[in-house]
Amino acid sequence: MTSFLKKERDKMISFESDYITGAHPKLLQRLLETNEEALTGYGFDTYCVSAAEKIKAACECPDADVFFLTGGTQTNAIVVTTMLEEYQGVISATTGHIHAHEAAAVEYGSRKILPMPHNQGKLNPASIRTYLEGLYADEAIEHMVYPGMVYISHPTEYGTLYTKQELTELSALCREYKMHLFLDGARLAYGLMSQQTDVTLADIARLCDVFYIGGTKAGALCGEAVVFTHGNAPAHFVNRIKKRGALLAKGRLLGVQFDTLFTDGLYFDIGRHAIDMAEKLEAVFAEKGYAFHIPSPTNQKFVILTKEALERLRQHVAVTVWEWLDENRVVVRLATTWSTREEDIETLKALL
Amino acid sequence: MTSFLKKERDKMISFESDYITGAHPKLLQRLLETNEEALTGYGFDTYCVSAAEKIKAACECPDADVFFLTGGTQTNAIVVTTMLEEYQGVISATTGHIHAHEAAAVEYGSRKILPMPHNQGKLNPASIRTYLEGLYADEAIEHMVYPGMVYISHPTEYGTLYTKQELTELSALCREYKMHLFLDGARLAYGLMSQQTDVTLADIARLCDVFYIGGTKAGALCGEAVVFTHGNAPAHFVNRIKKRGALLAKGRLLGVQFDTLFTDGLYFDIGRHAIDMAEKLEAVFAEKGYAFHIPSPTNQKFVILTKEALERLRQHVAVTVWEWLDENRVVVRLATTWSTREEDIETLKALL
Amino acid sequence: MTSFLKKERDKMISFESDYITGAHPKLLQRLLETNEEALTGYGFDTYCVSAAEKIKAACECPDADVFFLTGGTQTNAIVVTTMLEEYQGVISATTGHIHAHEAAAVEYGSRKILPMPHNQGKLNPASIRTYLEGLYADEAIEHMVYPGMVYISHPTEYGTLYTKQELTELSALCREYKMHLFLDGARLAYGLMSQQTDVTLADIARLCDVFYIGGTKAGALCGEAVVFTHGNAPAHFVNRIKKRGALLAKGRLLGVQFDTLFTDGLYFDIGRHAIDMAEKLEAVFAEKGYAFHIPSPTNQKFVILTKEALERLRQHVAVTVWEWLDENRVVVRLATTWSTREEDIETLKALL
Amino acid sequence: MTSFLKKERDKMISFESDYITGAHPKLLQRLLETNEEALTGYGFDTYCVSAAEKIKAACECPDADVFFLTGGTQTNAIVVTTMLEEYQGVISATTGHIHAHEAAAVEYGSRKILPMPHNQGKLNPASIRTYLEGLYADEAIEHMVYPGMVYISHPTEYGTLYTKQELTELSALCREYKMHLFLDGARLAYGLMSQQTDVTLADIARLCDVFYIGGTKAGALCGEAVVFTHGNAPAHFVNRIKKRGALLAKGRLLGVQFDTLFTDGLYFDIGRHAIDMAEKLEAVFAEKGYAFHIPSPTNQKFVILTKEALERLRQHVAVTVWEWLDENRVVVRLATTWSTREEDIETLKALL
């Protein structure tokens, strides 16, 4: 629900998304410092290796396999289509990014998404169980698609978070039914640093079979780190990445960035900064009497505006139209990121 | 035929490929300068727009559609699979990168490659015509694959170049048989700046239906600029890119780099520098009495070494083993790029 | 929801489906009579040609393109994946056969199904319109899937039928939004011969862009006749069929059967017989006080049984378990076909 | 290289292919006799079960998994794409049916064919070994396609046969390199009954990992029996067949036919008859002084004609134009089958 309008707004204050600006300065700095080193390609350079080690340490997951990919849709499609057998499909909330906003990238790899109802972007373990029980009791199951994976996003597309209890239940359900649990962490930094979460990176590594640590939406120019948590990367995974056109020749671009993100806790600092800014943003709207569509504890806030307020605001501030509630009321999404400044929020406040 | 050995050679002198180092410093500089600007995503930012305009001007091709993708295999697969109908296949030399070194990325999109013999990496228009005449005379053609595209690389995988006459013939043949002519320009900078070419960028734009201007191998961190030369981009091309997981959220990464490459002729300067270095490299080997496997007029040189000489050289210099001629003689490839320094060549010379 | 149990029930009375017996005797007779004729293969024989002409006449649709395929899932997958562009998807009821019971055959061809709520298996034009209006107003549409087709089954998987008014509305909606209207007629014979329909074959041909006339479930050994109603068969359709492994060498098997089905109205007679038997079947259950889960006007009847009644019945009669309403109540489906005999119904009656 | 011309030749004498007529009368007879039995669908009926058992016995292969599919291209595509991992490809002769005449059906399933030179349609084990040694020595192998299967046809597309020695070598090579050996037996009946073979059905079952026994070209209306020789059918194979649109609802059509073919040695009788006829056919041409393009020991004969002789012959006899040797000389293929009669050959003789 991002705006693609090619407007002149590129110079405005923007809360349009968490990928409006470039990379956190430390990442650019390290790209500059390492630029002239001659490095092996395709993800085998020293920075990719080092970044993978640091991520494994941060996840407390020494047996993990870590790979770096370029973007979120690419990562989702590769994980889903390489881990599922062809007779399997992936359970996703109807709001799941893979189902709603990825242009059938999973289907491009011949796998089916099995959409399920959601609660503010979250899947409910009990509902999945009911579905599975019905499915496995059906005499015609061989004409259907076997669920082989549960896809969740954390934070979800609505900015909401699973609790440790919920993740634990989902994980147990997946193991019971021999399904992979895959967590899309495009915005994981903001999930981990939320003031309202009890889930740590190590919890995620322990409970999921595969997940990714989003870079693009958390301070990198591009890049997602896929973690197969128990040495369970698909065989010849590099070849499969290549087959999908996703293998960067200069893998260093991803290695250097993730090596920097996981040095001295930068990834978490970026998450914390954006959360702080988001809390201030929420306070500003709340103070001005605006209502929220969904209570999000992460870096995306969903505010209800009148049509007239939207038009006024958009003259100075880029936001994303999320959904029209009726002809006059609209939900807009504002996102913070590494580059969000307190003064931007002050300016916004003055405009409300 | 790149080396993937995860050796300690990352600090050695390297002629291993043209993607061993990062980006040309001017590109990094511009990424830095534009880093905090809030820009629209997915390739609609001002830098992508500007880069596209500059490329259209450099190609003398005002009606072109220009898009930016991340890497060569991705670009090849997307161009081939979006331009071909499903009953069509793509003619390629058996040595063509899409056939030999892209892990079946074209087949991932359900298209067949129709391999043909090559001459030092080049396709021969007369041979293609003979093949087409036979095919269209065959009563069983509806059980076969209709050729819908001719894929050439320029420079080829052997560093060789098509002449303007050859390109003109291929182009005419393609138009006669209603096939797209697609030129893989992963190393186009070195083809254009070769001392032995009569082909200009405008010639390519005029004679081909689609081609790409390689960034990854010519000074960018990543990125290839696809040019559909006569407004012939496939419908909803951005959606198709997304479907293949290839749409960068921060499209600026590609836009800023290509905008810089096509400002003040930097792309051509990078090509010229690498060609100059390659000529010196060739002279060094020739002077020392080494033979060449293929006479390449571009930035890749193919030298014949003894096994013993290879082992000695590899202690200090990273090169790529291209092909063993027999048990004792090996062809190695040395490539130059934007970061190749005269002093490296002097050091190499001393080692020979 | 067919039963796959490899039981000894192959000799019992069976209402398990409409494909339990072989072909209508007249079809076998014609296969026998034509068996030794030397005929051209791949669907170009005289019987395929003749059958196509008869079908065009029966549809009052002289510009139609008619092709013969082997089975329903194959036909659905081929029609959907050849008619949709790759940026498009197909709207289907969640109960639609392509979504629920075809093992991701559409996704195998890289197309996405866009599932929508249903009313007794039927899509609602107004709901589709609401969905489309929301979709086309969404700024992120280029990241989604464009609806390019509406898939309906008639009769539906629940045995229900669209009215002429509903079909007309769907057709108008499809034309307005440039979507193909595709009618899955696996059981079309029973839809056309229902006592409660106002829809003719000519209506369907006029209102749909493509549909198929089911043979497998209406008296053929195998075979479905696809009708592209206005000369709109995808280019090189035979090649596409071949690419999907669906081109029969002895196309006569389909040609002779359909030629016979469309001679002297046999197809309609088969439909009428099964409808007559189904009406009797319904009357028997009604008379005995059983309730129906869904009021079906075609050849499938959905009866509610207790668990105990099911177990008793299944000792003598093969039926399909459709759905458990609770632990003790189950919906079973009984289907009639060309070979259903009145005496089977009498026997069933005695067992109730 | 079959002719698709929709000529009036449907009534002529035809040696055009081995699928010009319908089914062997005994098959039709059994279809008739079993027609009214109520049977389970999808290949689980008693005839499919019985046919599978008879085939396992004939193959002396008690651990085999046997499935029935409709046609050759379908079978090839399903076997190749279900047995190969996605990082693997299939080695085939350039003349292999999957490479040359199946409209990219293998590529439709995203797998690459690795074409190799042939000798009269046959692959050479030594050449494959050389290729494999080079490939596995290549540092860039992860960018290529791993050979995971060797595809051979027996008889080949040229009617030639592998010897037991050659099959044994291929089998050993495949096991050494962990590749499946897949034998396309579309015309297996004619290979087994050739007067010049030392290969038995049991040999094939012992030496191959998977093969199929062709029905379509050996007296069935349609149908191929796939034999996974050591319990190595891909998991959920029925689901995968369904996903590819290849699961017949009335599986009996295939079961009854194969049950009959493997009762009292009918399959072998059919093969023997066609071989006898082919030998007579060859004798007729030889006697009349015609030369043969390829010495085929099976049911296809490849005769060299002048253009004038072709035109004359085609007025009365349907043959397939195989290849033009020059402007005046053409290779035509004549095939025999279950329905070829001695009197047809006499008629032909009179016409020469």
Side-chain angles (χ1 to χ4, degrees), chain D residues 104-123:
Chain D
V106 163
E107 290 82 358
Y108 192 68
S110 302
R111 296 297 180 272
K112 189 179 182 72
I113 297 171
L114 305 166
M116 300 224 13
H118 70 102
N119 178 15
Q120 296 189 336
K122 291 163 63 179
L123 283 172

Side-chain angles (χ1 to χ4, degrees), chain A residues 22-89:
Chain A
H24 188 281
K26 284 191 185 170
L27 275 63
L28 279 186
Q29 178 62 23
R30 283 298 290 153
L31 284 172
L32 210 58
E33 290 166 5
T34 59
N35 191 50
E36 303 217 2
E37 294 175 15
L39 298 177
T40 298
Y42 304 114
F44 296 114
D45 64 273
T46 51
Y47 297 101
C48 283
V49 172
S50 164
E53 288 306 316
K54 288 174 183 170
I55 285 171
K56 285 156 69 173
C59 296
E60 299 173 25
C61 196
D63 297 332
D65 298 321
V66 180
F67 294 88
F68 301 102
L69 293 167
T70 310
T73 295
Q74 180 180 89
T75 301
N76 284 332
I78 289 178
V79 168
V80 171
T81 63
T82 60
M83 294 195 80
L84 289 184
E85 297 294 331
E86 63 176 7
Y87 48 83
Q88 297 177 322

Side-chain angles (χ1 to χ4, degrees), chain C residues 4 10 19-23 35 37-40 42 70 73-74 103 105 108 216 220 242-245 248 250 252, chain D residues 4 10 19-23 35 37-40 42 70 73-74 103 105 108 216 220 242-245 248 250 252:
Chain C
F4 303 96
D10 282 351
Y19 44 93
I20 48 168
T21 46
N35 190 49
E37 294 176 15
L39 298 177
T40 298
Y42 305 114
T70 311
T73 295
Q74 180 179 90
Y108 191 68
T216 303
K242 179 82 177 166
K243 183 164 187 167
R244 287 158 174 86
L248 277 195
K250 295 183 179 174
R252 66 197 298 150
Chain D
F4 301 98
D10 282 352
Y19 45 92
I20 48 168
T21 47
N35 190 50
E37 295 176 15
L39 297 176
T40 297
Y42 305 114
T70 311
T73 295
Q74 180 179 89
Y108 192 68
T216 303
K242 179 82 176 167
K243 183 164 185 167
R244 287 157 174 87
L248 277 195
K250 294 183 177 172
R252 66 197 298 150

Side-chain angles (χ1 to χ4, degrees), chain A residues 10 20 22-23 35 38 220 250 252, chain B residues 10 20 22-23 35 38 220 250 252:
Chain A
D10 282 351
I20 48 169
N35 191 50
K250 294 182 178 173
R252 68 197 299 152
Chain B
D10 282 353
I20 49 169
N35 190 50
K250 294 182 178 173
R252 66 196 298 150

Side-chain angles (χ1 to χ4, degrees), chain C residues 7 21 23 65 83 85 119 126-127 148 152 165 171 190 195 206 212 255 272 274 286 297 326 343:
Chain C
K7 287 186 192 164
T21 46
D65 298 320
M83 293 196 80
E85 298 294 329
N119 178 17
S127 305
I152 56 175
Q165 175 59 27
S171 182
Y190 314 121
Q195 295 167 8
R206 183 172 45 80
Y212 76 91
R272 195 174 300 112
D326 56 40
E343 62 197 81

